[in-house]
Amino acid sequence: MSWQAVARKEFRDAIRSRWLHGSTLFFALFLGGASALFFGVLLGPESRQVSNLFGFFASLGVFSFSFPGLLALVLGFIALSTSYGSITEERETGSVKLLLSLPNSRLDVMIGKLLGRSAVVVAALLVGFLATFVILVATGSRLELGSFVPQVALTALLGAAFVSVGLSLSALADSNREATLATMGLYLVFAILWGSIAEGIPKLINYAAEQVGMSVAELTRVKIGVFLKYLNPLKTYETLAAQLYYGPAQARLVSTTFGERTILAPVLEGSPPFYFTGWFLFLVLLAWIVLPAAVGYWSFERADL
Amino acid sequence: MAAIELDGVTKRFDDVTAVSDLSLTVEDGEVFGFLGPNGAGKSTTINLLLDFVRPTTGTVTVLGHDAREESVAVRERTGVLPEGFDVYDRLTGRAHVEFAIDSKEVDVDPDDVLDRVGLADAADRQAGGYSKGMRQRLALAMALVGDPDLLVLDEPSSGLDPAGAKEMREIVLEEAERGTTVFFSSHILEQVEAVCDRVGILREGELVAVDSIAGLREASDADATLSVAVGDPVDDDVLESVRALDGVQRVERSTEGGLRVGCDSDAKTRVVTALEDNGVTVTDFTTDEASLEDLFLAYTEGERDEPTDADASVAADDGEADADTTASRDSTATSDPAADSGETADSDTAAGAEDADADSAADESDGDETDAPDAGDEAIEEEVQR
C-alpha cells in the first residue's frame, strides 16, 4: 500500500497552487473578518461568545440563514474546486502515467488523493479558524471550546466530504470539461435545489398513494421530507453544528419550514426516531466522505487510461 | 524465465483494433527493441504491460505476474519511461524522485539518482520549468529508482538532443549489463541497432517479425549492393554470365569502369568468384548493406493493404491499386536509401489513386496529396493512444 506516497505528493503539489493560496487568504479574511465584525464591533461585551457567531441561526420559515450554513456553502465550493480536476487533469496532461507507472494501485491513488487534497483544504480552513481564535482571545470573548472545537472538527469533515464528491466526479468524467460541468451542476443541486426536491418527493409519494386510494399520513410525509433534507451534506453539517450549541431537538428544526416545525417539534421533544439522532447524521456525514470516493474508485479501477 | 510474455493479446478500442492477436516473449536480461511506425500499436502494447489499458482477449505476464491482477507487483520491479507523459509542474525534480522512492518503498538518495541522469543542478527547480529533454531525464530518474529488474521505455529519446540520446543509450546499456531486461519502443532505427539483442516489428497491431538485426537482414528480401573495382574493362559476355548467377538481380557498369551488382547477401562471393573465373582481375570490392531503414520500410510498408486514411471501404474493393503500391515500394525500398523521399511520393500517389479519383492520381506533384496520408497516420496514432 503506497497511499501515503500519493497523499504526500498530492499535498506537496496542491499546497503550491495559487488557487489554494487564494482560498487560504479567503478563509482567513472571511472567518477572521466575520469574527472581527461580530466580536469587535457588533456585539456588546456581555454577548461576546462564540455561539453568537458560529452558532448563529435565524429562521424566518420560508427563508433561513445561519453562519455555519454560509461557511458550509463556501467550504463546499472551495473543496470541490480543489478536487474535481485531480484525476481528469492528470489524465489530460499525462502525469497519470508517471503516477501509475510507479507501484501505486488505483486504490492507493484514490485514497491518497482523498487524504492529500482533504489535508490541503483543512489546512486552509485551519488558517481561517486560527485567525478567528486570535480575534476571540483579543476581544476577550467567551470561547465555549466544548462546542467550538467539535465544530472545527465537523467543518474539517465537511471539507473532506466535498473533496470526496469532487474526486468522484473526476474519476467518473471522461474529460476535465465534463468534470467541471458536473461539479458546477452538483454544487447547484446541493446549494439550491436539494430543499425543493426533498419537499417534493413526499408530495409525489402521497400523490401516487392517492391514485391507488391510499394516503400517507402528514407526519410521515414531513418526516420523509426533513430526513431527505438532512441527507444533503451542507444541511447535515448545519444541523450537527446547531446541535453543539442548542441540543438535538432544536437543531433538527433549523432547516425546516414553519409547517414542518409545528408537526415535527412534538416528535423531537419526545424520543426522536434514530434517523434524526445526532449519531445517525454524523454517520451520514462520514458516508459522504467514503461513498463518493468508493464510487469513483469503482469507475477508475475499470477505466483504460 | 521470460520477463515479458504476451499470449494472443488483442486490444480493441471503441472503433479501432490497436493490437491484434499479439504473442511475444522477451527473455530475462534481454534488450528488446520494439519497432513500428506511428500508430502501429507500440504504446498500446506497453500500456498493456503496465495495466494502463486492459486486453480485450489474451493474457499478459510480466516478471512472472499477471499484468492485470498483479500489476502492483509488476510495477514494483519495473522502471517505466512512459510516452506522452507530463511532470507535475509545481513539484521540484527532487520531489518527483522522492515520490518514486516513497511509492517503491525503497531507501535511496534522490540526489544520486538525479546525478545519474544529469539533473543534479536542476533538482530544486520546479519541473514545470524543465525542457522536454529534462522532463524525459526526470522520468528516467524515477524509473531507475530502486534498480528495477525490467525497464520499459516508450520512445525514450523523443525530445532529447543527440548528446542526450547518446546518454540515454549509455544508461540503457549500463542497465542491461547489470542484468536488467530492457524493453523499449522506437521508430528511430539507429538506436535500436546500437543497443538491441532482438527486435520485434509491429505493423498495424500485428507482429510481422521478431529476430536479431542480423537475422532480420538475412530473412528480408532487402539485398546488398556490391561495388567491384576491376583491372580491365569487363565485356558484355562476362556481364551476362554474372547476371545469370543465382541471387543476382541486376548488374550494371559503374561510372568508374567497375561494376555495381545488386544481389542477395549470400551471393556476393559467387559474384566475385565468377568474375575471377572469367579472367577479370578484381582489385577491390565493397558492399553496401541494405540500411536498417530499408529493412524497416520493407517490413512495415511493403505489403500494406490498408490505406492510411480513414477511408477503409474504398481500399477494400480496390485490389489493383494496392498491388501497384506494393510493387513500387519494393523496388524503391531495395535500391537506394537516398530514394526515400521519392518512395514516399510514389506511395502517396498510389494512395491518391485509391481514392478512385483519376484526376488526383494524375496530379502527382500536388503537395496536398502528399500530406494527406501522414495526417491520417497521426489521427490513428492519437486514437490508439488514448
Side-chain angles (χ1 to χ4, degrees), chain A residues 8 12 90 97 100 102 104 106 301 304-305, chain B residues 11 51-52 54 75 83 88 98 102 386:
Chain A
R8 199 170 307 136
R12 291 174 83 171
E90 287 221 35
K97 290 186 175 178
L100 284 175
L102 296 168
N104 304 309
R106 297 196 190 189
E301 173 57 27
D304 283 342
L305 296 185
Chain B
K11 176 60 188 178
D51 194 38
F52 289 178
R54 285 64 187 264
R75 286 179 278 137
E83 182 270 344
Y88 296 102
E98 281 168 356
D102 285 351
R386 278 175 307 177

mmCIF file with all atom_site columns, all heavy atoms in Angstrom, chain A residues 8 12 90 97 100 102 104 106 301 304-305, chain B residues 11 51-52 54 75 83 88 98 102 386:
data_model
loop_
_atom_site.group_PDB
_atom_site.id
_atom_site.type_symbol
_atom_site.label_atom_id
_atom_site.label_alt_id
_atom_site.label_comp_id
_atom_site.label_asym_id
_atom_site.label_entity_id
_atom_site.label_seq_id
_atom_site.pdbx_PDB_ins_code
_atom_site.Cartn_x
_atom_site.Cartn_y
_atom_site.Cartn_z
_atom_site.occupancy
_atom_site.B_iso_or_equiv
_atom_site.pdbx_formal_charge
_atom_site.auth_seq_id
_atom_site.auth_comp_id
_atom_site.auth_asym_id
_atom_site.auth_atom_id
_atom_site.pdbx_PDB_model_num
ATOM 1   N N   . ARG A 1 8   ? 1.148   12.293 0.130   1.00 0.00 ? 8   ARG A N   1
ATOM 2   C CA  . ARG A 1 8   ? 2.206   13.283 0.321   1.00 0.00 ? 8   ARG A CA  1
ATOM 3   C C   . ARG A 1 8   ? 2.439   14.067 -0.964  1.00 0.00 ? 8   ARG A C   1
ATOM 4   O O   . ARG A 1 8   ? 2.582   15.278 -0.961  1.00 0.00 ? 8   ARG A O   1
ATOM 5   C CB  . ARG A 1 8   ? 3.495   12.563 0.736   1.00 0.00 ? 8   ARG A CB  1
ATOM 6   C CG  . ARG A 1 8   ? 4.506   13.464 1.399   1.00 0.00 ? 8   ARG A CG  1
ATOM 7   C CD  . ARG A 1 8   ? 5.649   12.656 1.990   1.00 0.00 ? 8   ARG A CD  1
ATOM 8   N NE  . ARG A 1 8   ? 5.167   11.606 2.869   1.00 0.00 ? 8   ARG A NE  1
ATOM 9   C CZ  . ARG A 1 8   ? 5.627   10.347 2.884   1.00 0.00 ? 8   ARG A CZ  1
ATOM 10  N NH1 . ARG A 1 8   ? 6.575   9.986  2.062   1.00 0.00 ? 8   ARG A NH1 1
ATOM 11  N NH2 . ARG A 1 8   ? 5.140   9.461  3.721   1.00 0.00 ? 8   ARG A NH2 1
ATOM 12  N N   . ARG A 1 12  ? 1.906   18.053 -1.375  1.00 0.00 ? 12  ARG A N   1
ATOM 13  C CA  . ARG A 1 12  ? 3.008   18.923 -1.778  1.00 0.00 ? 12  ARG A CA  1
ATOM 14  C C   . ARG A 1 12  ? 2.676   19.667 -3.065  1.00 0.00 ? 12  ARG A C   1
ATOM 15  O O   . ARG A 1 12  ? 3.081   20.813 -3.253  1.00 0.00 ? 12  ARG A O   1
ATOM 16  C CB  . ARG A 1 12  ? 4.275   18.077 -1.995  1.00 0.00 ? 12  ARG A CB  1
ATOM 17  C CG  . ARG A 1 12  ? 4.826   17.508 -0.720  1.00 0.00 ? 12  ARG A CG  1
ATOM 18  C CD  . ARG A 1 12  ? 5.967   16.566 -0.993  1.00 0.00 ? 12  ARG A CD  1
ATOM 19  N NE  . ARG A 1 12  ? 7.222   17.267 -1.181  1.00 0.00 ? 12  ARG A NE  1
ATOM 20  C CZ  . ARG A 1 12  ? 8.398   16.647 -1.254  1.00 0.00 ? 12  ARG A CZ  1
ATOM 21  N NH1 . ARG A 1 12  ? 8.468   15.342 -1.174  1.00 0.00 ? 12  ARG A NH1 1
ATOM 22  N NH2 . ARG A 1 12  ? 9.506   17.326 -1.417  1.00 0.00 ? 12  ARG A NH2 1
ATOM 23  N N   . GLU A 1 90  ? -4.781  15.063 -14.478 1.00 0.00 ? 90  GLU A N   1
ATOM 24  C CA  . GLU A 1 90  ? -3.639  14.156 -14.624 1.00 0.00 ? 90  GLU A CA  1
ATOM 25  C C   . GLU A 1 90  ? -3.762  13.331 -15.900 1.00 0.00 ? 90  GLU A C   1
ATOM 26  O O   . GLU A 1 90  ? -2.772  13.002 -16.545 1.00 0.00 ? 90  GLU A O   1
ATOM 27  C CB  . GLU A 1 90  ? -3.523  13.225 -13.415 1.00 0.00 ? 90  GLU A CB  1
ATOM 28  C CG  . GLU A 1 90  ? -3.018  13.928 -12.181 1.00 0.00 ? 90  GLU A CG  1
ATOM 29  C CD  . GLU A 1 90  ? -2.024  13.077 -11.393 1.00 0.00 ? 90  GLU A CD  1
ATOM 30  O OE1 . GLU A 1 90  ? -1.252  12.337 -12.013 1.00 0.00 ? 90  GLU A OE1 1
ATOM 31  O OE2 . GLU A 1 90  ? -2.043  13.160 -10.165 1.00 0.00 ? 90  GLU A OE2 1
ATOM 32  N N   . LYS A 1 97  ? 0.382   8.926  -16.081 1.00 0.00 ? 97  LYS A N   1
ATOM 33  C CA  . LYS A 1 97  ? 1.259   7.812  -16.494 1.00 0.00 ? 97  LYS A CA  1
ATOM 34  C C   . LYS A 1 97  ? 2.463   7.678  -15.566 1.00 0.00 ? 97  LYS A C   1
ATOM 35  O O   . LYS A 1 97  ? 2.953   6.575  -15.359 1.00 0.00 ? 97  LYS A O   1
ATOM 36  C CB  . LYS A 1 97  ? 1.718   8.014  -17.938 1.00 0.00 ? 97  LYS A CB  1
ATOM 37  C CG  . LYS A 1 97  ? 0.602   7.836  -18.931 1.00 0.00 ? 97  LYS A CG  1
ATOM 38  C CD  . LYS A 1 97  ? 1.115   7.888  -20.355 1.00 0.00 ? 97  LYS A CD  1
ATOM 39  C CE  . LYS A 1 97  ? 0.007   7.588  -21.339 1.00 0.00 ? 97  LYS A CE  1
ATOM 40  N NZ  . LYS A 1 97  ? 0.491   7.679  -22.718 1.00 0.00 ? 97  LYS A NZ  1
ATOM 41  N N   . LEU A 1 100 ? 0.951   6.154  -12.251 1.00 0.00 ? 100 LEU A N   1
ATOM 42  C CA  . LEU A 1 100 ? 0.590   4.741  -12.276 1.00 0.00 ? 100 LEU A CA  1
ATOM 43  C C   . LEU A 1 100 ? 1.686   3.843  -12.844 1.00 0.00 ? 100 LEU A C   1
ATOM 44  O O   . LEU A 1 100 ? 1.534   2.632  -12.880 1.00 0.00 ? 100 LEU A O   1
ATOM 45  C CB  . LEU A 1 100 ? -0.712  4.539  -13.048 1.00 0.00 ? 100 LEU A CB  1
ATOM 46  C CG  . LEU A 1 100 ? -1.962  4.951  -12.267 1.00 0.00 ? 100 LEU A CG  1
ATOM 47  C CD1 . LEU A 1 100 ? -3.204  4.840  -13.127 1.00 0.00 ? 100 LEU A CD1 1
ATOM 48  C CD2 . LEU A 1 100 ? -2.129  4.112  -11.012 1.00 0.00 ? 100 LEU A CD2 1
ATOM 49  N N   . LEU A 1 102 ? 4.489   3.971  -11.371 1.00 0.00 ? 102 LEU A N   1
ATOM 50  C CA  . LEU A 1 102 ? 5.052   3.606  -10.074 1.00 0.00 ? 102 LEU A CA  1
ATOM 51  C C   . LEU A 1 102 ? 4.129   2.572  -9.434  1.00 0.00 ? 102 LEU A C   1
ATOM 52  O O   . LEU A 1 102 ? 2.970   2.463  -9.821  1.00 0.00 ? 102 LEU A O   1
ATOM 53  C CB  . LEU A 1 102 ? 5.168   4.862  -9.193  1.00 0.00 ? 102 LEU A CB  1
ATOM 54  C CG  . LEU A 1 102 ? 6.132   5.914  -9.745  1.00 0.00 ? 102 LEU A CG  1
ATOM 55  C CD1 . LEU A 1 102 ? 5.981   7.230  -9.000  1.00 0.00 ? 102 LEU A CD1 1
ATOM 56  C CD2 . LEU A 1 102 ? 7.563   5.418  -9.660  1.00 0.00 ? 102 LEU A CD2 1
ATOM 57  N N   . ASN A 1 104 ? 1.884   2.184  -7.512  1.00 0.00 ? 104 ASN A N   1
ATOM 58  C CA  . ASN A 1 104 ? 0.695   2.653  -6.806  1.00 0.00 ? 104 ASN A CA  1
ATOM 59  C C   . ASN A 1 104 ? -0.517  1.988  -7.434  1.00 0.00 ? 104 ASN A C   1
ATOM 60  O O   . ASN A 1 104 ? -0.714  2.098  -8.641  1.00 0.00 ? 104 ASN A O   1
ATOM 61  C CB  . ASN A 1 104 ? 0.536   4.173  -6.940  1.00 0.00 ? 104 ASN A CB  1
ATOM 62  C CG  . ASN A 1 104 ? 1.768   4.924  -6.466  1.00 0.00 ? 104 ASN A CG  1
ATOM 63  O OD1 . ASN A 1 104 ? 2.248   4.688  -5.368  1.00 0.00 ? 104 ASN A OD1 1
ATOM 64  N ND2 . ASN A 1 104 ? 2.296   5.804  -7.301  1.00 0.00 ? 104 ASN A ND2 1
ATOM 65  N N   . ARG A 1 106 ? -4.585  1.625  -8.076  1.00 0.00 ? 106 ARG A N   1
ATOM 66  C CA  . ARG A 1 106 ? -5.562  2.697  -8.285  1.00 0.00 ? 106 ARG A CA  1
ATOM 67  C C   . ARG A 1 106 ? -6.314  3.001  -6.982  1.00 0.00 ? 106 ARG A C   1
ATOM 68  O O   . ARG A 1 106 ? -6.779  4.119  -6.788  1.00 0.00 ? 106 ARG A O   1
ATOM 69  C CB  . ARG A 1 106 ? -6.517  2.319  -9.415  1.00 0.00 ? 106 ARG A CB  1
ATOM 70  C CG  . ARG A 1 106 ? -5.734  2.164  -10.721 1.00 0.00 ? 106 ARG A CG  1
ATOM 71  C CD  . ARG A 1 106 ? -6.596  2.161  -11.946 1.00 0.00 ? 106 ARG A CD  1
ATOM 72  N NE  . ARG A 1 106 ? -5.795  1.779  -13.107 1.00 0.00 ? 106 ARG A NE  1
ATOM 73  C CZ  . ARG A 1 106 ? -6.201  1.847  -14.355 1.00 0.00 ? 106 ARG A CZ  1
ATOM 74  N NH1 . ARG A 1 106 ? -7.414  2.280  -14.624 1.00 0.00 ? 106 ARG A NH1 1
ATOM 75  N NH2 . ARG A 1 106 ? -5.417  1.477  -15.346 1.00 0.00 ? 106 ARG A NH2 1
ATOM 76  N N   . GLU A 1 301 ? -11.067 2.198  -11.441 1.00 0.00 ? 301 GLU A N   1
ATOM 77  C CA  . GLU A 1 301 ? -10.450 0.874  -11.494 1.00 0.00 ? 301 GLU A CA  1
ATOM 78  C C   . GLU A 1 301 ? -10.714 0.189  -12.842 1.00 0.00 ? 301 GLU A C   1
ATOM 79  O O   . GLU A 1 301 ? -9.892  -0.573 -13.327 1.00 0.00 ? 301 GLU A O   1
ATOM 80  C CB  . GLU A 1 301 ? -10.999 0.030  -10.337 1.00 0.00 ? 301 GLU A CB  1
ATOM 81  C CG  . GLU A 1 301 ? -10.588 -1.433 -10.320 1.00 0.00 ? 301 GLU A CG  1
ATOM 82  C CD  . GLU A 1 301 ? -9.083  -1.632 -10.297 1.00 0.00 ? 301 GLU A CD  1
ATOM 83  O OE1 . GLU A 1 301 ? -8.380  -0.744 -9.809  1.00 0.00 ? 301 GLU A OE1 1
ATOM 84  O OE2 . GLU A 1 301 ? -8.610  -2.671 -10.784 1.00 0.00 ? 301 GLU A OE2 1
ATOM 85  N N   . ASP A 1 304 ? -9.688  2.377  -18.910 1.00 0.00 ? 304 ASP A N   1
ATOM 86  C CA  . ASP A 1 304 ? -8.429  2.463  -19.640 1.00 0.00 ? 304 ASP A CA  1
ATOM 87  C C   . ASP A 1 304 ? -7.962  3.897  -19.548 1.00 0.00 ? 304 ASP A C   1
ATOM 88  O O   . ASP A 1 304 ? -8.768  4.825  -19.620 1.00 0.00 ? 304 ASP A O   1
ATOM 89  C CB  . ASP A 1 304 ? -8.640  2.112  -21.122 1.00 0.00 ? 304 ASP A CB  1
ATOM 90  C CG  . ASP A 1 304 ? -8.773  0.603  -21.322 1.00 0.00 ? 304 ASP A CG  1
ATOM 91  O OD1 . ASP A 1 304 ? -8.374  -0.151 -20.425 1.00 0.00 ? 304 ASP A OD1 1
ATOM 92  O OD2 . ASP A 1 304 ? -9.279  0.199  -22.384 1.00 0.00 ? 304 ASP A OD2 1
ATOM 93  N N   . LEU A 1 305 ? -6.670  4.072  -19.383 1.00 0.00 ? 305 LEU A N   1
ATOM 94  C CA  . LEU A 1 305 ? -6.165  5.447  -19.275 1.00 0.00 ? 305 LEU A CA  1
ATOM 95  C C   . LEU A 1 305 ? -6.180  6.119  -20.641 1.00 0.00 ? 305 LEU A C   1
ATOM 96  O O   . LEU A 1 305 ? -5.975  5.509  -21.639 1.00 0.00 ? 305 LEU A O   1
ATOM 97  C CB  . LEU A 1 305 ? -4.751  5.444  -18.713 1.00 0.00 ? 305 LEU A CB  1
ATOM 98  C CG  . LEU A 1 305 ? -4.596  4.919  -17.294 1.00 0.00 ? 305 LEU A CG  1
ATOM 99  C CD1 . LEU A 1 305 ? -3.168  5.084  -16.845 1.00 0.00 ? 305 LEU A CD1 1
ATOM 100 C CD2 . LEU A 1 305 ? -5.519  5.678  -16.361 1.00 0.00 ? 305 LEU A CD2 1
ATOM 101 N N   . LYS B 2 11  ? -6.285  -5.957 -28.353 1.00 0.00 ? 11  LYS B N   1
ATOM 102 C CA  . LYS B 2 11  ? -6.887  -4.817 -27.673 1.00 0.00 ? 11  LYS B CA  1
ATOM 103 C C   . LYS B 2 11  ? -7.688  -4.003 -28.668 1.00 0.00 ? 11  LYS B C   1
ATOM 104 O O   . LYS B 2 11  ? -7.144  -3.456 -29.623 1.00 0.00 ? 11  LYS B O   1
ATOM 105 C CB  . LYS B 2 11  ? -5.805  -3.940 -27.030 1.00 0.00 ? 11  LYS B CB  1
ATOM 106 C CG  . LYS B 2 11  ? -6.357  -2.687 -26.376 1.00 0.00 ? 11  LYS B CG  1
ATOM 107 C CD  . LYS B 2 11  ? -7.346  -3.011 -25.255 1.00 0.00 ? 11  LYS B CD  1
ATOM 108 C CE  . LYS B 2 11  ? -8.038  -1.743 -24.734 1.00 0.00 ? 11  LYS B CE  1
ATOM 109 N NZ  . LYS B 2 11  ? -9.031  -2.071 -23.690 1.00 0.00 ? 11  LYS B NZ  1
ATOM 110 N N   . ASP B 2 51  ? -0.816  -2.260 -17.261 1.00 0.00 ? 51  ASP B N   1
ATOM 111 C CA  . ASP B 2 51  ? -2.198  -2.218 -16.799 1.00 0.00 ? 51  ASP B CA  1
ATOM 112 C C   . ASP B 2 51  ? -2.813  -0.818 -16.940 1.00 0.00 ? 51  ASP B C   1
ATOM 113 O O   . ASP B 2 51  ? -3.753  -0.476 -16.248 1.00 0.00 ? 51  ASP B O   1
ATOM 114 C CB  . ASP B 2 51  ? -2.302  -2.700 -15.339 1.00 0.00 ? 51  ASP B CB  1
ATOM 115 C CG  . ASP B 2 51  ? -3.743  -2.987 -14.927 1.00 0.00 ? 51  ASP B CG  1
ATOM 116 O OD1 . ASP B 2 51  ? -4.484  -3.504 -15.754 1.00 0.00 ? 51  ASP B OD1 1
ATOM 117 O OD2 . ASP B 2 51  ? -4.115  -2.654 -13.790 1.00 0.00 ? 51  ASP B OD2 1
ATOM 118 N N   . PHE B 2 52  ? -2.235  -0.005 -17.824 1.00 0.00 ? 52  PHE B N   1
ATOM 119 C CA  . PHE B 2 52  ? -2.890  1.269  -18.147 1.00 0.00 ? 52  PHE B CA  1
ATOM 120 C C   . PHE B 2 52  ? -4.145  0.986  -18.948 1.00 0.00 ? 52  PHE B C   1
ATOM 121 O O   . PHE B 2 52  ? -5.149  1.662  -18.819 1.00 0.00 ? 52  PHE B O   1
ATOM 122 C CB  . PHE B 2 52  ? -1.966  2.172  -18.971 1.00 0.00 ? 52  PHE B CB  1
ATOM 123 C CG  . PHE B 2 52  ? -0.809  2.747  -18.206 1.00 0.00 ? 52  PHE B CG  1
ATOM 124 C CD1 . PHE B 2 52  ? 0.125   3.551  -18.843 1.00 0.00 ? 52  PHE B CD1 1
ATOM 125 C CD2 . PHE B 2 52  ? -0.648  2.501  -16.858 1.00 0.00 ? 52  PHE B CD2 1
ATOM 126 C CE1 . PHE B 2 52  ? 1.186   4.096  -18.139 1.00 0.00 ? 52  PHE B CE1 1
ATOM 127 C CE2 . PHE B 2 52  ? 0.421   3.036  -16.154 1.00 0.00 ? 52  PHE B CE2 1
ATOM 128 C CZ  . PHE B 2 52  ? 1.350   3.839  -16.799 1.00 0.00 ? 52  PHE B CZ  1
ATOM 129 N N   . ARG B 2 54  ? -6.506  -2.539 -20.554 1.00 0.00 ? 54  ARG B N   1
ATOM 130 C CA  . ARG B 2 54  ? -6.690  -3.968 -20.321 1.00 0.00 ? 54  ARG B CA  1
ATOM 131 C C   . ARG B 2 54  ? -6.968  -4.675 -21.632 1.00 0.00 ? 54  ARG B C   1
ATOM 132 O O   . ARG B 2 54  ? -7.695  -4.167 -22.478 1.00 0.00 ? 54  ARG B O   1
ATOM 133 C CB  . ARG B 2 54  ? -7.852  -4.192 -19.352 1.00 0.00 ? 54  ARG B CB  1
ATOM 134 C CG  . ARG B 2 54  ? -7.542  -3.864 -17.904 1.00 0.00 ? 54  ARG B CG  1
ATOM 135 C CD  . ARG B 2 54  ? -7.229  -2.387 -17.684 1.00 0.00 ? 54  ARG B CD  1
ATOM 136 N NE  . ARG B 2 54  ? -6.774  -2.077 -16.351 1.00 0.00 ? 54  ARG B NE  1
ATOM 137 C CZ  . ARG B 2 54  ? -7.569  -1.637 -15.376 1.00 0.00 ? 54  ARG B CZ  1
ATOM 138 N NH1 . ARG B 2 54  ? -8.823  -1.412 -15.609 1.00 0.00 ? 54  ARG B NH1 1
ATOM 139 N NH2 . ARG B 2 54  ? -7.077  -1.409 -14.183 1.00 0.00 ? 54  ARG B NH2 1
ATOM 140 N N   . ARG B 2 75  ? 4.868   -3.565 -11.199 1.00 0.00 ? 75  ARG B N   1
ATOM 141 C CA  . ARG B 2 75  ? 5.443   -2.215 -11.221 1.00 0.00 ? 75  ARG B CA  1
ATOM 142 C C   . ARG B 2 75  ? 6.438   -1.982 -10.087 1.00 0.00 ? 75  ARG B C   1
ATOM 143 O O   . ARG B 2 75  ? 7.248   -1.069 -10.168 1.00 0.00 ? 75  ARG B O   1
ATOM 144 C CB  . ARG B 2 75  ? 4.310   -1.181 -11.206 1.00 0.00 ? 75  ARG B CB  1
ATOM 145 C CG  . ARG B 2 75  ? 3.614   -1.102 -12.564 1.00 0.00 ? 75  ARG B CG  1
ATOM 146 C CD  . ARG B 2 75  ? 2.480   -0.107 -12.582 1.00 0.00 ? 75  ARG B CD  1
ATOM 147 N NE  . ARG B 2 75  ? 1.247   -0.666 -12.035 1.00 0.00 ? 75  ARG B NE  1
ATOM 148 C CZ  . ARG B 2 75  ? 0.434   -0.012 -11.201 1.00 0.00 ? 75  ARG B CZ  1
ATOM 149 N NH1 . ARG B 2 75  ? 0.727   1.211  -10.829 1.00 0.00 ? 75  ARG B NH1 1
ATOM 150 N NH2 . ARG B 2 75  ? -0.663  -0.579 -10.755 1.00 0.00 ? 75  ARG B NH2 1
ATOM 151 N N   . GLU B 2 83  ? 5.350   7.178  -22.540 1.00 0.00 ? 83  GLU B N   1
ATOM 152 C CA  . GLU B 2 83  ? 5.291   8.067  -23.700 1.00 0.00 ? 83  GLU B CA  1
ATOM 153 C C   . GLU B 2 83  ? 4.143   9.039  -23.458 1.00 0.00 ? 83  GLU B C   1
ATOM 154 O O   . GLU B 2 83  ? 3.151   8.684  -22.828 1.00 0.00 ? 83  GLU B O   1
ATOM 155 C CB  . GLU B 2 83  ? 5.048   7.206  -24.946 1.00 0.00 ? 83  GLU B CB  1
ATOM 156 C CG  . GLU B 2 83  ? 5.013   7.945  -26.258 1.00 0.00 ? 83  GLU B CG  1
ATOM 157 C CD  . GLU B 2 83  ? 3.630   8.409  -26.618 1.00 0.00 ? 83  GLU B CD  1
ATOM 158 O OE1 . GLU B 2 83  ? 2.655   7.908  -26.028 1.00 0.00 ? 83  GLU B OE1 1
ATOM 159 O OE2 . GLU B 2 83  ? 3.518   9.299  -27.468 1.00 0.00 ? 83  GLU B OE2 1
ATOM 160 N N   . TYR B 2 88  ? 4.691   16.877 -12.851 1.00 0.00 ? 88  TYR B N   1
ATOM 161 C CA  . TYR B 2 88  ? 3.877   17.742 -12.003 1.00 0.00 ? 88  TYR B CA  1
ATOM 162 C C   . TYR B 2 88  ? 4.557   19.102 -11.960 1.00 0.00 ? 88  TYR B C   1
ATOM 163 O O   . TYR B 2 88  ? 5.605   19.259 -11.335 1.00 0.00 ? 88  TYR B O   1
ATOM 164 C CB  . TYR B 2 88  ? 3.751   17.142 -10.601 1.00 0.00 ? 88  TYR B CB  1
ATOM 165 C CG  . TYR B 2 88  ? 3.019   15.819 -10.604 1.00 0.00 ? 88  TYR B CG  1
ATOM 166 C CD1 . TYR B 2 88  ? 3.698   14.617 -10.502 1.00 0.00 ? 88  TYR B CD1 1
ATOM 167 C CD2 . TYR B 2 88  ? 1.635   15.786 -10.762 1.00 0.00 ? 88  TYR B CD2 1
ATOM 168 C CE1 . TYR B 2 88  ? 3.022   13.403 -10.536 1.00 0.00 ? 88  TYR B CE1 1
ATOM 169 C CE2 . TYR B 2 88  ? 0.957   14.583 -10.792 1.00 0.00 ? 88  TYR B CE2 1
ATOM 170 C CZ  . TYR B 2 88  ? 1.657   13.399 -10.675 1.00 0.00 ? 88  TYR B CZ  1
ATOM 171 O OH  . TYR B 2 88  ? 0.978   12.211 -10.708 1.00 0.00 ? 88  TYR B OH  1
ATOM 172 N N   . GLU B 2 98  ? 11.567  11.765 -5.059  1.00 0.00 ? 98  GLU B N   1
ATOM 173 C CA  . GLU B 2 98  ? 11.140  11.339 -3.717  1.00 0.00 ? 98  GLU B CA  1
ATOM 174 C C   . GLU B 2 98  ? 9.795   10.617 -3.783  1.00 0.00 ? 98  GLU B C   1
ATOM 175 O O   . GLU B 2 98  ? 9.565   9.646  -3.056  1.00 0.00 ? 98  GLU B O   1
ATOM 176 C CB  . GLU B 2 98  ? 11.052  12.551 -2.778  1.00 0.00 ? 98  GLU B CB  1
ATOM 177 C CG  . GLU B 2 98  ? 12.412  12.988 -2.269  1.00 0.00 ? 98  GLU B CG  1
ATOM 178 C CD  . GLU B 2 98  ? 12.400  14.352 -1.585  1.00 0.00 ? 98  GLU B CD  1
ATOM 179 O OE1 . GLU B 2 98  ? 11.333  15.012 -1.572  1.00 0.00 ? 98  GLU B OE1 1
ATOM 180 O OE2 . GLU B 2 98  ? 13.465  14.750 -1.086  1.00 0.00 ? 98  GLU B OE2 1
ATOM 181 N N   . ASP B 2 102 ? 9.203   6.976  -2.401  1.00 0.00 ? 102 ASP B N   1
ATOM 182 C CA  . ASP B 2 102 ? 8.104   6.661  -1.475  1.00 0.00 ? 102 ASP B CA  1
ATOM 183 C C   . ASP B 2 102 ? 7.222   5.546  -2.029  1.00 0.00 ? 102 ASP B C   1
ATOM 184 O O   . ASP B 2 102 ? 6.849   4.622  -1.326  1.00 0.00 ? 102 ASP B O   1
ATOM 185 C CB  . ASP B 2 102 ? 7.222   7.899  -1.251  1.00 0.00 ? 102 ASP B CB  1
ATOM 186 C CG  . ASP B 2 102 ? 7.892   8.909  -0.339  1.00 0.00 ? 102 ASP B CG  1
ATOM 187 O OD1 . ASP B 2 102 ? 8.940   8.572  0.231   1.00 0.00 ? 102 ASP B OD1 1
ATOM 188 O OD2 . ASP B 2 102 ? 7.354   10.024 -0.207  1.00 0.00 ? 102 ASP B OD2 1
ATOM 189 N N   . ARG B 2 386 ? -5.159  6.596  -26.673 1.00 0.00 ? 386 ARG B N   1
ATOM 190 C CA  . ARG B 2 386 ? -5.966  7.091  -25.569 1.00 0.00 ? 386 ARG B CA  1
ATOM 191 C C   . ARG B 2 386 ? -5.754  6.280  -24.313 1.00 0.00 ? 386 ARG B C   1
ATOM 192 O O   . ARG B 2 386 ? -5.580  5.070  -24.375 1.00 0.00 ? 386 ARG B O   1
ATOM 193 C CB  . ARG B 2 386 ? -7.443  7.022  -25.936 1.00 0.00 ? 386 ARG B CB  1
ATOM 194 C CG  . ARG B 2 386 ? -7.881  8.197  -26.771 1.00 0.00 ? 386 ARG B CG  1
ATOM 195 C CD  . ARG B 2 386 ? -9.302  7.987  -27.192 1.00 0.00 ? 386 ARG B CD  1
ATOM 196 N NE  . ARG B 2 386 ? -9.386  6.659  -27.818 1.00 0.00 ? 386 ARG B NE  1
ATOM 197 C CZ  . ARG B 2 386 ? -10.503 6.131  -28.243 1.00 0.00 ? 386 ARG B CZ  1
ATOM 198 N NH1 . ARG B 2 386 ? -11.618 6.727  -28.115 1.00 0.00 ? 386 ARG B NH1 1
ATOM 199 N NH2 . ARG B 2 386 ? -10.513 4.943  -28.826 1.00 0.00 ? 386 ARG B NH2 1
#
